[in-house]
């Protein structure tokens, strides 16, 4: 058996602890016929399984409410409601009366229900599929006496490493952080949202660990190294000692980085670069504010929604945005409107989409659901009173989307004025450039927007036609492909020619090599993970723009990502070692 599994580094940190395997999938159910005389006992077994499932859900609900709050806990009410549905019990009982074993009868009814709701025209009802699936798994696990794989039920304080095939952002949000110290997934890549979220939560993570589930039993001790992208199974005492020594060393290095984080990001030839932070959850505001960043270049508001069954209302959103704006005390805070869809879905999601990344997501959904969108816009305009808040739109492909948003902002202004609550009407509005359409035709946007922010994660995905979350494609996902570098250079040039700020807020902006390339392409604003601020400043402070410019020009002239990367790496090393 392999003792070291190698995956993709997703979030740094070393954790020594027991492995908890999470197999959150509907188990196989054998066809089993029962005798007439066993029918009543089988029905009683079904009801007992329902009752045990209810007890477990109530328990998890109470714990979630205490740890995360009432909105997060409400997810479990939907599942409790399904169990209490008389039609469900009646349909399953009818099949048991036709001599089917309880587990098969329940399996058939749930499959039918999930199919029925999955095809429903109402998005609200389609969203129920996720909850039905959870109930399907929970009840069958009890009826079949399977080990408990509940993702929200792991012993507290155990430093557990959660290993699973894939984790949705909503499941990640629901994880009990008092128990889970690290995550490892078979699927995923460094720019998948689960990896981004793990970094925000400060959870060490390795993704793309193919075959991890078959190599593990659960319960064994392992060492996860999020920076190396490895999972060492059943380590020796010496290996554990070595890991603990490295944890202490990292803590020591953190002091040095803290100092660097508060230095000025000025290049060797005297240019001040703006380094902002990406904030994914409001709780990250304070960490971000003390990270040495010049404000927030991207706040991903959809993490207020994923993992929940209801949308946050205006007041809740206002409080979340105000918290971030106030934490940054007057520094710019760019808040992105909901980028829900793709792999960032509320509980239940939109399961009928064949291509969610090309689907009804982000600005498209917000403009179609304008009442929901205006709740967010009003909350932002109100929070803008407390500092320098700016609004940013995701996944823009055409200027019409900006114009329609301005129209809705106008309506939100009127609504707030009528309510006589404090707000600001003159909030800057910018767009993410993360589709080839927006990049190639960035000149069509300049008259209507106040700033551009390049979302390199999606720009790479859409330009190279490489799913950002697919572990099998991870080596093909690269921002150094000449097509991507050229698009970014073009956007920067359009911005400069029209006096519009251009920032890069995708994950590449946190990588030293990419920082060198981006500065060389002319970019002077980056927004990075708070924990990467120090490292990014180290690169900025170590280079001359003229050298970066020449390297970027040479990279633009290469024919492959590998050539570009090799060239940039050589020149950056020479520059830093000077
Ligand atoms: C991006 O696409 O680069 C980006 C910053 O947005 P997200 O990662 O949230 O899609
Ligand atoms: Mg994006």
């Amino acid at each position: 058996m392999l003792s070291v599994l190698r995956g993709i580094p997703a979030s740094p940190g070393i954790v020594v602890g027991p492995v908890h395997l999470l197999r959150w999938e509907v188990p196989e159910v054998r066809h089993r016929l029962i005798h007439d005389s066993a029918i009543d006992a089988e029905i009683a077994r079904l009801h007992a399984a329902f009752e045990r499932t209810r007890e477990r859900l109530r328990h998890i609900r109470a714990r979630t409410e205490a740890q995360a709050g009432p909105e997060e806990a409400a997810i479990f009410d939907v599942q409790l409601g399904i169990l209490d549905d008389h039609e469900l019990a009646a349909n399953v009982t009818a099949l048991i009366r036709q001599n089917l074993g309880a587990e098969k009868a329940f399996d058939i009814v749930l499959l039918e229900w999930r199919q029925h709701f999955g095809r429903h025209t109402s998005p609200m009802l389609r969203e129920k599929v996720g909850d039905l699936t959870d109930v399907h798994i929970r009840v069958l696990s009890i009826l079949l006496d399977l080990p408990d794989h509940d993702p929200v039920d792991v012993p507290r304080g155990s430093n557990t490493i959660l290993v699973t095939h894939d984790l949705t952002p909503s499941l990640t949000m629901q994880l009990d952080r008092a128990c889970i110290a690290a995550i490892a997934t078979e699927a995923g890549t460094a720019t998948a949202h689960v990896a981004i979220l793990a970094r925000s939560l400060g959870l060490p993570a390795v993704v793309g660990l193919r075959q991890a589930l078959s190599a593990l039993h659960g319960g064994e001790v392992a060492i996860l190294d999020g920076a190396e992208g490895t999972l060492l199974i059943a380590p020796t005492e010496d290996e554990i000692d070595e890991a603990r020594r490295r944890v202490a060393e990292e803590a020591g290095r953190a002091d040095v980085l803290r100092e660097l984080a508060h230095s000025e990001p000025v290049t060797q030839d005297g240019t001040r670069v703006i380094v902002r932070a990406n904030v994914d959850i409001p709780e990250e505001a304070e960490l971000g504010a003390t990270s040495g960043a010049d404000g927030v270049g991207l706040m991903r508001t959809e993490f207020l929604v994923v993992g929940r069954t209801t949308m946050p209302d205006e007041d809740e959103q206002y409080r979340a945005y105000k918290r971030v704006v106030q934490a940054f005390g007057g520094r710019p805070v760019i808040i992105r409107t909901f980028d829900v869809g793709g792999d960032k879905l509320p509980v239940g999601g939109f399961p009928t989409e064949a291509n969610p990344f090309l689907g009804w997501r982000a600005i498209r959904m917000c403009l179609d659901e304008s009442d929901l969108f205006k709740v967010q816009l009003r909350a932002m305009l109100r929070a803008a009173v407390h500092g320098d808040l700016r609004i940013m739109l995701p996944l823009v492909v055409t200027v019409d989307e900006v114009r329609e948003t301005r129209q809705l902002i106008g309506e939100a202004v009127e609504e707030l004025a009528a309510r006589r609550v404090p707000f600001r009407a003159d909030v800057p509005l910018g767009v993410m450039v993360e589709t080839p359409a927006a990049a190639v035709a960035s000149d069509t946007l300049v008259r209507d927007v106040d700033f551009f922010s390049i979302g390199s994660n999606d720009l790479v995905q859409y330009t190279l036609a490489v799913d950002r979350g697919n572990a099998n494609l991870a080596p093909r996902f690269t921002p150094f492909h000449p097509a991507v570098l050229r698009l970014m250079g073009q956007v920067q040039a359009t911005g400069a020619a029209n006096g519009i700020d251009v920032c890069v807020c995708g994950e590449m902006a946190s990588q030293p090599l990419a920082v060198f390339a981006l500065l060389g392409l002319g970019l002077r604003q980056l927004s990075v993970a708070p924990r990467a601020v120090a490292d990014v400043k180290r690169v900025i402070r170590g280079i001359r723009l003229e050298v970066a410019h020449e390297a970027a020009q040479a990279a633009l002239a290469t024919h492959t990502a590998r050539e570009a990367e090799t060239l940039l790496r050589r020149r950056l090393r020479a520059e830093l070692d000077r």
Side-chain angles (χ1 to χ4, degrees):
M1 194 186 77
L2 283 174
S3 65
V4 185
L5 302 179
R6 292 187 189 283
I8 301 166
S11 175
I14 298 170
V15 171
V16 182
V19 165
H20 178 86
L21 293 188
L22 160 61
R23 295 184 198 274
W24 201 239
E25 53 203 30
V26 178
E28 287 278 319
V29 182
R30 277 193 312 117
H31 203 81
R32 186 170 65 89
L33 288 178
I34 55 169
H35 200 269
D36 281 351
S37 61
I39 287 177
D40 286 346
E42 202 65 6
I43 292 172
R45 203 165 74 83
L46 176 77
H47 286 292
F50 276 14
E51 194 43 40
R52 265 188 62 202
T53 309
R54 279 191 201 98
E55 271 165 29
R56 284 189 52 72
L57 280 168
R58 282 190 212 110
H59 171 75
I60 300 168
R61 191 196 184 292
R63 202 188 54 201
T64 308
E65 177 153 12
Q67 286 174 9
E71 287 95 3
E72 278 78 1
I75 299 163
F76 302 104
D77 288 339
V78 180
Q79 297 181 28
L80 281 162
I82 293 171
L83 283 169
D84 288 340
D85 188 328
H86 292 302
E87 207 182 319
L88 175 68
N91 290 2
V92 182
T93 309
L95 289 181
I96 297 176
R97 291 199 189 286
Q98 290 167 34
N99 302 87
L100 263 188
E103 59 283 353
K104 191 68 198 173
F106 181 76
D107 191 36
I108 290 173
V109 172
L110 260 287
L111 278 174
E112 272 173 9
W113 281 33
R114 282 168 53 200
Q115 263 184 8
H116 170 74
F117 282 103
R119 286 202 216 99
H120 213 285
T121 48
S122 149
M124 286 299 284
L125 288 176
R126 283 205 305 271
E127 283 186 16
K128 223 174 153 174
V129 174
D131 296 298
L132 282 167
T133 308
D134 276 6
V135 170
H136 198 168
I137 298 171
R138 288 181 199 282
V139 173
L140 278 185
S141 304
I142 289 172
L143 283 169
L144 296 169
D145 209 14
L146 294 173
D148 194 346
H149 287 304
D150 199 310
V152 284
D153 203 10
V154 170
R156 292 180 72 87
S158 54
N159 235 24
T160 293
I161 301 171
L162 182 80
V163 183
T164 183
H165 175 67
D166 199 3
L167 211 51
T168 59
S170 65
L171 264 180
T172 314
M173 288 296 282
Q174 279 174 56
L175 290 178
D176 184 349
R177 285 175 242 161
C179 321
I180 304 289
I183 49 185
T185 63
E186 291 187 324
T189 61
T191 47
H193 285 105
V194 56
I196 293 174
L197 199 49
R199 286 193 283 276
S200 299
L201 298 170
L203 268 178
V206 179
V207 297
L209 270 175
R210 289 180 274 177
Q211 319 300 330
L213 287 175
S214 51
L216 295 160
H217 307 285
E220 60 268 70
V221 170
I223 300 174
L224 179 137
D225 186 331
E228 290 292 318
T230 56
L231 186 71
L232 176 62
I233 306 166
T236 61
E237 281 300 319
D238 284 352
E239 284 167 331
I240 291 178
D241 288 346
E242 167 65 13
R244 298 223 160 103
R245 193 189 58 70
R246 286 182 41 223
V247 172
E249 200 178 278
E250 294 271 297
R253 236 171 65 83
D255 288 339
V256 178
L257 283 179
R258 244 190 306 280
E259 227 169 84
L260 190 55
H262 289 92
S263 62
E264 282 284 289
V266 178
T267 60
Q268 289 281 311
D269 36 13
T271 297
R272 171 71 158 85
V273 177
I274 291 178
V275 180
R276 298 206 173 108
N278 290 352
V279 168
D280 299 331
I281 47 177
E283 294 79 46
E284 226 185 337
E286 290 74 21
L287 170 74
T290 53
S291 67
D294 299 310
V296 174
L298 164 67
M299 177 181 175
R300 290 182 168 93
T301 57
E302 53 281 1
F303 294 119
L304 296 172
V305 180
V306 297
R308 294 191 24 180
T309 48
T310 54
M311 294 298 284
D313 65 17
E314 185 184 309
D315 278 337
E316 188 189 340
Q317 290 189 49
Y318 162 69
R319 284 194 300 275
Y321 307 149
K322 179 174 135 192
R323 175 173 176 180
V324 181
V325 169
Q326 284 186 328
F328 280 84
R331 285 172 277 172
V333 171
I334 298 176
I335 305 191
R336 180 173 75 183
T337 58
F338 290 131
D339 188 2
V340 183
D343 63 344
K344 289 177 290 194
L345 297 171
V347 168
F350 317 113
T352 48
E353 291 203 331
N355 292 303
F357 275 116
L358 303 181
W360 192 58
R361 60 173 287 207
I363 190 67
R364 304 166 183 189
M365 191 204 77
C366 285
L367 289 173
D368 287 352
E369 300 282 326
S370 56
D371 287 342
L372 177 153
F373 193 20
K374 276 200 290 177
V375 171
Q376 182 172 42
L377 294 172
R378 287 195 302 266
M380 288 178 168
L381 299 180
R382 285 173 57 194
V385 169
H386 303 283
D388 181 355
L389 185 151
R390 306 176 189 180
I391 302 177
M392 178 158 76
L393 308 178
L395 207 79
V396 163
V397 296
T398 156
V399 71
D400 298 338
E401 290 154 342
V402 183
R403 292 181 182 152
E404 277 181 55
T405 303
R406 286 210 187 269
Q407 172 88 29
L408 292 175
I409 291 178
E411 290 174 24
V413 163
E414 279 171 23
E415 286 155 13
L416 290 171
R419 275 166 44 195
R420 296 178 184 284
V421 285
F423 69 96
R424 251 185 59 202
D426 59 339
V427 175
L429 179 68
V431 295
M432 304 242 353
V433 178
E434 51 183 351
T435 60
V440 172
S442 52
D443 59 305
T444 61
L445 296 162
V446 291
R447 265 192 301 279
D448 293 78
V449 308
D450 298 309
F451 59 91
F452 286 148
S453 191
I454 299 178
S456 54
N457 306 333
D458 278 315
L459 189 60
V460 172
Q461 154 164 279
Y462 294 125
T463 304
L464 305 184
V466 169
D467 178 345
R468 64 192 272 183
N470 187 333
N472 294 326
L473 299 173
R476 290 183 158 81
F477 186 95
T478 165
F480 297 107
H481 189 292
V484 179
L485 292 178
R486 286 181 204 177
L487 284 178
M488 291 194 293
Q490 203 177 315
V491 175
Q492 164 59 30
T494 308
N498 291 280
I500 288 185
D501 282 352
V502 184
C503 179
V504 176
C505 64
E507 297 312 297
M508 77 181 289
S510 300
Q511 299 164 8
L513 192 61
V515 170
F516 182 53
L518 291 171
L519 295 187
L521 287 173
L523 285 131
R524 298 291 176 264
Q525 298 193 10
L526 305 171
S527 189
V528 309
R531 288 177 179 80
V533 168
D535 211 27
V536 167
K537 287 191 178 179
R538 179 183 60 81
V539 177
I540 294 169
R541 290 164 61 89
I543 62 171
R544 288 166 295 175
L545 284 180
E546 184 195 327
V547 173
H549 176 73
E550 275 168 24
Q553 291 309 310
L556 282 171
T558 60
H559 289 184
T560 71
R562 191 172 314 150
E563 277 168 34
E565 206 177 327
T566 310
L567 179 149
L568 287 163
R569 200 175 297 286
R570 216 181 32 239
R571 298 209 184 178
L572 174 61
R573 195 170 309 131
E575 182 66 354
L576 292 177
D577 287 350
R578 215 160 34 100

